[in-house]
Amino acid sequence: MNIEHLKDHFAIAPQVEIISGPNGFPFIKINNQHASALISLYGGQVLSFKPHTEQEDLLFLSPLSLYADGKAIRGGIPVCWPWFGPDPKGLNRPNHGFVRNHYWQLAATSTDSTGQSKISLLFKETLKQENTWRQPFNLLLDVTVGKTLRLTLTTCNTGDKPFSVTQAFHSYFRVGDINAVKIMGLKGCDYYDKLQQGMLNSQTEDLVVIEEVDRIYTHVNNDLTILDKALQRRIHIRVPNTNTAVVWNPWLTTSQKMADLEDDAYRRFVCVEAGNIAFDLIQIPPNNSYTLDVEYSILPCSL
Ligand code: TA6
């Protein structure tokens, strides 16, 4: 990917720069009146978002993350598409689909009158893809960086047959101390527990993470909140059009097994992943599209 070409076509001084990241991965660096952010074209992945009012990033990015072809970047907001989790057909294709492991095209950059920056990334059917996925499609990711961070992922069926996807924003949220975190908005929801062979359980209280957690929640609210007493802040996740979400924290033993995570990294993040997951399969007819829309904001603890 030619960074000079990207600079010529898409940089908007001084708010939007194109820079070379680790191993020459092209990054879009945003610094506008509201916030700073970093987006990798590899994976179409937001790696950092920090409103100027905040001391700490919204997102966790592993310092041991690999920046290598065929590997996912560990942290930020990986895009899981067109399937979430293991290959639904059992053909040994990558976990969480293939778009987090390939380059996206930078389609447009803009700023609006309120000072927000919008970055549009495109993953085209004609770009590299798994040879078993034969559905004609376009996939568009719009990232809007303002006081809040908004991501919309639009799947367009450009073929003549319907197809189905599962998908998620696999967001790694930075927390001050996992022991001082409460996840609100899941009380009363049922969940499938991946650590108990998919057993169905019910969430009776706000979720406190005290061990490894890997759950798919159903019928979730449109608003989820991570209350972080250590950083004295709340992360608010607005998901207007989905009703499944995953919560994942690997805890110590699983972190130790992961080469791209420090052993104690589990203390510093929790994944709360909004999407259409497992049974929440989205069917898209020919010439139709579907948009997953999520907005993240950071609020003080006291409000
Ligand atoms: O979203 C939770 C999960 O599917 C877990 O089961 C866990 O394995 C995690 O994602 C990380 O997956 P990855 O393929 O990125 O190593």
Side-chain angles (χ1 to χ4, degrees):
M1 206 155 279
N2 186 326
I3 291 193
E4 294 311 314
H5 172 85
L6 293 173
K7 282 183 187 169
D8 288 349
H9 287 80
F10 297 106
I12 307 174
Q15 299 99 327
V16 180
E17 285 178 76
I18 319 291
I19 61 166
S20 179
N23 290 339
F25 276 28
F27 286 176
I28 303 156
K29 188 176 170 197
I30 295 151
N31 193 0
N32 61 29
Q33 69 189 66
H34 305 292
S36 61
L38 204 58
I39 303 169
S40 167
L41 288 189
Y42 181 84
Q45 194 160 331
V46 179
L47 302 179
S48 159
F49 170 73
K50 191 158 89 63
H52 297 315
T53 49
E54 294 300 314
Q55 298 295 319
E56 295 284 345
D57 210 289
L58 171 76
L59 301 170
F60 167 87
L61 179 61
S62 173
L64 300 185
S65 193
L66 301 168
Y67 296 87
D69 279 350
K71 304 274 184 203
I73 301 171
R74 179 71 62 198
I77 311 182
V79 178
C80 304
W81 190 99
W83 58 84
F84 179 89
D87 178 358
K89 292 196 170 153
L91 298 173
N92 228 6
R93 296 172 300 176
N95 200 36
H96 294 319
F98 50 86
V99 299
R100 66 175 184 159
N101 296 341
H102 288 305
Y103 281 100
W104 292 54
Q105 275 181 356
L106 181 51
T109 52
S110 62
T111 53
D112 69 17
S113 56
T114 67
Q116 297 193 120
S117 313
K118 185 168 156 189
I119 310 299
S120 299
L121 305 180
L122 193 61
F123 194 102
K124 275 197 181 175
E125 186 249 313
T126 47
L127 297 178
K128 248 189 196 173
Q129 58 178 287
E130 293 307 300
N131 57 15
T132 46
W133 176 263
R134 289 290 180 216
Q135 330 291 343
F137 70 90
N138 275 342
L139 186 63
L140 180 70
L141 176 66
D142 283 328
V143 180
T144 306
V145 176
K147 284 190 183 119
T148 65
L149 174 69
R150 183 168 176 207
L151 269 63
T152 60
L153 182 69
T154 302
T155 305
C156 307
N157 183 344
T158 55
D160 56 8
K161 293 193 184 78
F163 64 73
S164 301
V165 300
T166 54
Q167 57 185 352
F169 292 124
H170 196 303
S171 30
Y172 288 71
F173 294 110
R174 159 109 177 86
V175 296
D177 174 4
I178 192 66
N179 295 303
V181 162
K182 194 190 272 186
I183 301 166
M184 298 151 87
L186 299 168
K187 200 154 122 182
C189 297
D190 288 341
Y191 65 86
Y192 295 94
D193 195 336
K194 203 170 158 188
L195 303 175
Q196 293 187 48
Q197 294 78 45
M199 191 197 284
L200 188 63
N201 281 313
S202 220
Q203 185 71 41
T204 52
E205 300 293 339
D206 290 328
L207 175 62
V208 180
V209 181
I210 52 164
E211 59 190 344
E212 184 171 2
V213 170
D214 194 350
R215 301 175 178 177
I216 301 172
Y217 283 88
T218 65
H219 304 102
V220 297
N221 290 321
N222 293 149
D223 295 283
L224 298 172
T225 300
I226 302 169
L227 179 64
D228 180 344
K229 288 203 188 118
L231 292 183
Q232 283 290 301
R233 70 181 192 178
R234 286 175 302 150
I235 295 172
H236 181 246
I237 308 164
R238 190 187 62 87
V239 278
N241 62 352
T242 82
N243 59 19
T244 44
V246 164
V247 178
W248 178 60
N249 182 288
W251 218 250
L252 179 61
T253 313
T254 301
S255 292
Q256 284 170 330
K257 289 183 199 150
M258 298 175 72
D260 54 1
L261 268 186
E262 292 167 318
D263 290 355
D264 65 346
Y266 73 95
R267 293 188 182 161
R268 295 186 286 280
F269 77 86
V270 64
C271 290
V272 180
E273 309 160 33
N276 307 99
I277 297 159
F279 308 105
D280 187 14
L281 200 68
I282 299 296
Q283 196 180 71
I284 306 168
N287 298 314
N288 273 261
S289 63
Y290 180 87
T291 299
L292 171 64
D293 181 355
V294 182
E295 187 174 17
Y296 309 101
S297 41
I298 304 179
L299 304 166
C301 248
S302 52
L303 286 178

